[in-house]
Amino acid sequence: MSLGDEYENTSGYGGTGQTRTRMPESGGGPHGGGRRGGRTSSRSLVTVVGVVVLLIAAIAFANRGGEDSSTDEGDDSPKTAATAPSGEKPVRSANAGIPSGFAHDRQGAESAAANYSVVLGSAELFDAGRRRDIVTAVYAPDVAAARQADLDRAYSNEEFLTNIGLDKAGKAPAGQTFVSRVIPVGTKVTKSTENDATVEVWYTSLFGLSGEGSTNPVTESWYTTTYQLSWVEDDWKITDFQQKDGPVPVGRDQQASTADDMTKAVEEFGGFTYAR
């Protein structure tokens, strides 16, 4: 994420990805919630059983993950694809708590890019010791030293830290919580070979200070970062990246949460490990 960039957008989501099972109507209203008294209809029982059987069959078909369809790995044109069971082992977080051990394929490169976006946009990057762990974990060895120096200069700049409300050690004032969190929305492979991949990650970012008296409240921004990845030391590592703004959705007319609600949410809701 770009340090200090802010947008006054609020994004709302509703209904996407939900599955409803509509049971047969029993004469008591539009949603089948009514009851008939006195006796049980065998026809209704048969209908319910039929719906359940069809639902189980539909779920089983959906979970096949497209095994009957063929994919041309040589075609680099972007395609929208939902996450599906793949049989690949999940990534692990044994590398200083940072996801690692990604599959040596396009899917693994996408997962690596998404997870690396999260750690590189986290509040942990403002801690000098944790920053070294992150850089070592996500960057290729031949670029890690240069990136470490760049990040150390950026995150130790007192003027920058003062502007975002932190002290020279990157700490928030007493009674306030520093928020820096990236939430990937999707990934797209634009180029892929056996040992190199170019992956775009579209994400939203939360950044600011929550708490009473904050002069830099938590705001939402949208970015797309393009990562150049190489297969190094049995894992995907970043060799270069470029960032641009957007795409930015139209903000909904939602009331902003209080500082206390925002602090509570950040402290109680953990992040995710992203794997396709």
Side-chain angles (χ1 to χ4, degrees):
M1 61 177 288
S2 291
L3 305 178
D5 284 350
E6 297 177 6
Y7 285 89
E8 295 180 355
N9 288 335
T10 342
S11 179
Y13 300 90
T16 303
Q18 296 176 349
T19 301
R20 295 181 181 176
T21 303
R22 191 165 190 171
M23 303 305 289
E25 295 183 2
S26 53
H31 301 292
R35 292 175 125 176
R36 297 177 190 258
R39 64 180 182 179
T40 301
S41 168
S42 60
R43 178 178 300 178
S44 296
L45 180 60
V46 171
T47 304
V48 170
V49 172
V51 169
V52 172
V53 171
L54 289 174
L55 178 61
I56 293 173
I59 293 173
F61 180 82
N63 284 338
R64 291 167 62 188
E67 62 188 15
D68 291 338
S69 61
S70 61
T71 302
D72 184 2
E73 286 292 331
D75 182 4
D76 289 329
S77 58
K79 295 180 178 63
T80 300
T83 301
S86 65
E88 293 287 349
K89 293 181 179 180
V91 295
R92 57 186 184 273
S93 298
N95 190 0
I98 300 166
S100 60
F102 300 97
H104 190 184
D105 54 21
R106 290 167 61 118
Q107 176 178 292
E110 288 183 88
S111 183
N115 282 284
Y116 292 165
S117 293
V118 172
V119 295
L120 289 172
S122 69
E124 293 183 319
L125 215 64
F126 285 76
D127 178 88
R130 188 62 177 152
R131 187 163 59 244
R132 284 191 293 272
D133 292 337
I134 292 172
V135 170
T136 301
V138 307
Y139 283 100
D142 59 341
V143 301
R147 291 303 300 146
Q148 182 73 59
D150 291 341
L151 290 171
D152 285 343
R153 280 193 296 270
Y155 286 90
S156 61
N157 185 299
E158 290 191 28
E159 181 179 359
F160 162 67
L161 293 173
T162 300
N163 287 340
I164 63 176
L166 303 180
D167 63 21
K168 62 181 181 181
K171 304 296 183 183
Q176 297 184 14
T177 300
F178 176 51
V179 181
S180 182
R181 185 177 292 194
V182 160
I183 307 97
V185 176
T187 59
K188 178 177 66 175
V189 176
T190 57
K191 186 177 181 181
S192 176
T193 63
E194 182 180 1
N195 293 317
D196 295 284
T198 302
V199 183
E200 295 184 13
V201 182
W202 178 37
Y203 60 91
T204 183
S205 170
L206 304 179
F207 190 85
L209 287 170
S210 65
E212 296 298 331
S214 171
T215 58
N216 183 31
V218 179
T219 57
E220 178 188 24
S221 304
W222 289 83
Y223 303 98
T224 296
T225 296
T226 302
Y227 290 98
Q228 308 293 331
L229 302 172
S230 291
W231 187 255
V232 181
E233 298 177 347
D234 293 325
D235 216 344
W236 290 108
K237 301 289 185 179
I238 301 172
T239 57
D240 200 3
F241 71 94
Q242 299 84 35
Q243 177 187 283
K244 64 181 181 181
D245 290 350
V248 182
V250 176
R252 288 188 61 185
D253 226 356
Q254 290 182 295
Q255 182 177 353
S257 298
T258 65
D260 287 343
D261 285 344
M262 182 61 69
T263 299
K264 185 177 180 181
V266 170
E267 291 176 347
E268 294 183 355
F269 288 86
F272 294 97
T273 297
Y274 293 84
R276 295 186 64 79

